[in-house]
Amino acid sequence: MSKEELVSGCSFAYKSLEPENVPNPDTKNVPNVPNDGISERQKLILNLLKNDGNMTAAKIAEECDVSEKTIKRNIAELKSLKLISRKCSTHGKWVVLDKWLR
């Protein structure tokens, strides 16, 4: 690969990362939760879990177009904020706590 081809490929990659080229997640139907530092992705996660409490981290990651590890960090934060909980400790259904959905 020539130097020119390499530079051209890099500029294409950087251009694809510019904000206008990155898709925004659909947050139209996101529940009305307090804005205590909740990110748009976390609002989207809340919406997904409200609609289907059986979603896995892998499925949520696919929907949000991020890694499963990122989703697990977001879920941990939502749990610590007491916005979500699990009916059973490990494999139960996710529950979005109603007191936060006013």
Side-chain angles (χ1 to χ4, degrees):
M1 178 178 275
S2 72
K3 183 178 178 182
E4 290 79 23
E5 290 173 322
L6 183 60
V7 169
S8 173
C10 289
S11 66
F12 172 76
Y14 284 121
K15 188 173 269 192
S16 68
L17 294 175
E18 292 175 0
E20 62 270 10
N21 296 324
V22 177
N24 288 327
D26 178 23
T27 57
K28 293 176 196 160
N29 297 317
V30 174
N32 185 20
V33 296
N35 191 8
D36 295 329
I38 306 291
S39 71
E40 290 299 313
R41 182 183 308 119
Q42 290 169 334
K43 289 179 185 179
L44 181 57
I45 292 168
L46 287 171
N47 189 45
L48 291 169
L49 292 177
K50 184 173 189 276
N51 292 328
D52 181 5
N54 293 314
M55 285 190 87
T56 63
K59 182 64 177 166
I60 296 168
E62 184 180 312
E63 291 286 326
C64 295
D65 197 29
V66 296
S67 72
E68 190 173 341
K69 196 170 187 177
T70 297
I71 293 302
K72 286 181 179 183
R73 280 193 306 270
N74 279 266
I75 286 175
E77 186 173 344
L78 291 170
K79 283 171 43 177
S80 73
L81 293 170
K82 301 194 184 333
L83 292 175
I84 60 173
S85 68
R86 269 230 153 129
K87 277 195 172 179
C88 294
S89 61
T90 55
H91 299 292
K93 182 177 179 175
W94 286 107
V95 176
V96 178
L97 301 176
D98 289 336
K99 68 180 183 178
W100 297 99
L101 301 177
R102 294 180 192 145

